[in-house]
Amino acid sequence: MSPPVAPAGWSRWLVPPAALAVHLSIGQAYAWSVFKPPLESALGLSGTQSALPFQLGIVMLGLSAAFGGTLVERKGPRWAMTVALICFSSGFLLSALGAATEQYWLIVFGYGFVGGIGLGIGYISPVSTLIKWFPDRPGMATGIAIMGFGGGALIASPWSAQMLESFGTDSSGIALAFLVHGLSYAVFMSLGVLLVRVPRTEKPVEGAPSVLQGPQVSARSAVRTPQFWLLWLVLCMNVTAGIGILEKAAPMITDFFAGTSTPVSVSAAAGFVALLSAANMAGRIGWSSTSDLIGRKNIYRVYLGVGALMYALIALFGDSSKPLFVLCALVILSFYGGGFATVPAYLKDLFGTYQVGAIHGRLLTAWSTAGVLGPLIVNWIADRQESAGKHGSDLYGVSFLIMIGLLVVGFVANELVRPVNARHHIPAPREAADVARQQPESA
């Protein structure tokens, strides 16, 4: 399947909707916490066990993006979106079978392993294409698409809650909900497959800079630079801090206010998950667009520095004020989403557009690590604290202190980022030859 080249006069504004069709679908991953309580009840799982499909999905996201990044660059966005569609939908269908037969390992394998591959390939599928279409506004372009991944739960959370209410929260009801998800997302992701195009030239917009302007670094060389590993650390710390709240959002807000005069209901907790998704989504377009104005390093200073402050406020005062808890969580999740949306443009600034999709894929191994660390820290500590007889906000105090420390580590790493040494740059003639060779193949 060769990359579909845009015909003359094709509007670049048709490409973000194609990316959104895929990202809004795979963004369902952020609504996993809605399924946690029903699975724990129906299958007798602990909080740590019920997080396993989500954790494995994030691990596979990073690994499939890392190993498939170069292949996605070579075969193009349509191939990548097709692979994502097949894997993500199949993951739900396998999970439906696992729930129906009460074989939890099949849910872990389906949603986590197979679906996780779909997450990774789908996530990186439009990134380099969007940067090539929008060389003048890379932060905004990637923010629009990756906004969909953050906003997927805004649709999936209430939708999943309604299905569980209608179908039931036993194993058969969960199975039917998984089945509906798998079939529906297959249809919606097909729109992205049909609509996506790649630009014909390296200057798709009159007056915009060439996509090859500035230093260009190959993916193989990029992973040998300190800049790559510093950004890896920055992304990992920011994601760990955000995902720690996101993965356990529904039970967390319930625990925080369980002993108060205004406890949080199940439907309100699902609404909180949807609200976090909205903040995640808004941060991806809002903060990434802001990075085009103030620079990538400055915006990450905000993500990491202010994020640590928000965690401190929740740890100190969150259980005494529901509005404060919600507000701080929303800010943290907006930074979490903004970090994801800004990092492709940060990579473009440092390494150029030559193989930015493949570099981005390799960097997402930081997400895999964070996908294990964040839920593990929060769930394991909460389970231990509960075993020790603690309850409410006391289940999370230690976890939040750890998150503050991780954000400080990320802040320091961001301060150490410098321009890439010229010895890693690819000579201009080689760039031009490679691009010229790729264009006829694409056509």
Side-chain angles (χ1 to χ4, degrees):
M1 183 181 295
S2 60
V5 179
W10 182 268
S11 173
R12 63 176 179 168
W13 292 103
L14 293 174
V15 180
L20 277 171
V22 173
H23 275 235
L24 279 171
S25 298
I26 63 177
Q28 182 281 334
Y30 284 140
W32 177 253
S33 64
V34 175
F35 285 102
K36 282 171 63 68
L39 284 169
E40 291 168 17
S41 175
L43 303 180
L45 307 173
S46 68
T48 302
Q49 289 173 321
S50 67
L52 189 56
F54 176 81
Q55 288 177 286
L56 181 58
I58 299 302
V59 170
M60 293 309 301
L61 185 157
L63 293 178
S64 61
F67 288 105
T70 302
L71 197 59
V72 170
E73 286 279 284
R74 185 166 68 248
K75 290 184 174 291
R78 176 169 288 178
W79 175 88
M81 290 179 179
T82 301
V83 171
L85 184 159
I86 294 170
C87 291
F88 189 66
S89 296
S90 297
F92 267 113
L93 300 182
L94 288 170
S95 297
L97 180 61
T101 57
E102 298 188 3
Q103 298 294 316
Y104 187 58
W105 69 268
L106 193 53
I107 298 176
V108 175
F109 175 75
Y111 189 93
F113 184 82
V114 178
I117 294 173
L119 288 178
I121 300 299
Y123 189 86
I124 63 173
S125 61
V127 169
S128 64
T129 302
L130 283 164
I131 288 177
K132 289 168 184 173
W133 274 109
F134 293 87
D136 50 334
R137 287 180 280 182
M140 182 212 68
T142 55
I144 289 174
I146 295 176
M147 171 184 72
F149 193 89
L154 188 62
I155 299 169
S157 181
W159 184 39
S160 300
Q162 182 59 50
M163 275 195 283
L164 291 170
E165 185 178 334
S166 300
F167 301 151
T169 56
D170 58 358
S171 58
S172 60
I174 296 170
L176 189 53
F178 282 152
L179 177 63
V180 173
H181 275 76
L183 297 177
S184 299
Y185 285 132
V187 173
F188 193 59
M189 292 172 75
S190 298
L191 299 177
V193 173
L194 296 173
L195 194 58
V196 73
R197 298 287 189 278
V198 296
R200 300 185 69 84
T201 68
E202 66 179 68
K203 286 193 69 172
V205 181
E206 193 66 33
S210 166
V211 297
L212 292 177
Q213 181 175 322
Q216 303 294 324
V217 181
S218 69
R220 179 177 295 182
S221 296
V223 297
R224 299 173 182 171
T225 66
Q227 288 82 356
F228 177 88
W229 294 106
L230 287 170
L231 276 188
W232 190 97
L233 193 59
V234 166
L235 184 63
C236 184
M237 298 300 97
N238 193 54
V239 172
T240 301
I243 214 168
I245 286 183
L246 192 59
E247 186 274 335
K248 202 173 174 68
M252 182 183 291
I253 193 170
T254 302
D255 290 337
F256 251 78
F257 299 99
T260 69
S261 59
T262 56
V264 177
S265 66
V266 174
S267 59
F272 176 63
V273 174
L275 199 58
L276 289 179
S277 178
N280 187 354
M281 180 172 63
R284 290 173 186 243
I285 181 61
W287 294 121
S288 61
S289 296
T290 303
S291 77
D292 286 334
L293 302 175
I294 69 173
R296 320 304 170 196
K297 178 175 281 194
N298 285 334
I299 202 69
Y300 272 96
R301 286 170 174 152
V302 174
Y303 298 156
L304 299 160
V306 179
L309 176 61
M310 294 297 104
Y311 256 115
L313 289 174
I314 292 179
L316 293 172
F317 310 111
D319 60 343
S320 61
S321 172
K322 193 178 294 183
L324 178 66
F325 177 91
V326 172
L327 178 62
C328 290
L330 292 177
V331 173
I332 291 170
L333 263 294
S334 77
F335 292 159
Y336 168 83
F340 277 122
T342 309
V343 82
Y346 208 161
L347 291 171
K348 177 258 182 189
D349 293 345
L350 290 170
F351 302 109
T353 59
Y354 175 59
Q355 289 188 334
V356 68
I359 298 170
H360 184 227
R362 286 159 172 77
L363 192 76
L364 290 182
T365 53
W367 195 355
S368 295
T369 304
V372 174
L373 281 179
L376 182 62
I377 290 170
V378 175
N379 285 288
W380 184 79
I381 291 177
D383 288 345
R384 293 293 296 269
Q385 297 289 65
E386 188 173 17
S387 298
K390 296 186 178 180
H391 56 84
S393 61
D394 291 340
L395 298 175
Y396 304 100
V398 175
S399 302
F400 289 175
L401 291 176
I402 293 173
M403 297 302 179
I404 292 170
L406 294 178
L407 286 168
V408 171
V409 170
F411 188 93
V412 173
N414 183 55
E415 292 301 305
L416 296 176
V417 174
R418 299 289 184 273
V420 176
N421 191 295
R423 65 189 175 88
H424 296 289
H425 297 175
I426 295 173
R430 176 179 164 186
E431 296 167 11
D434 283 350
V435 172
R437 185 172 61 252
Q438 291 169 7
Q439 290 295 338
E441 292 175 359
S442 299

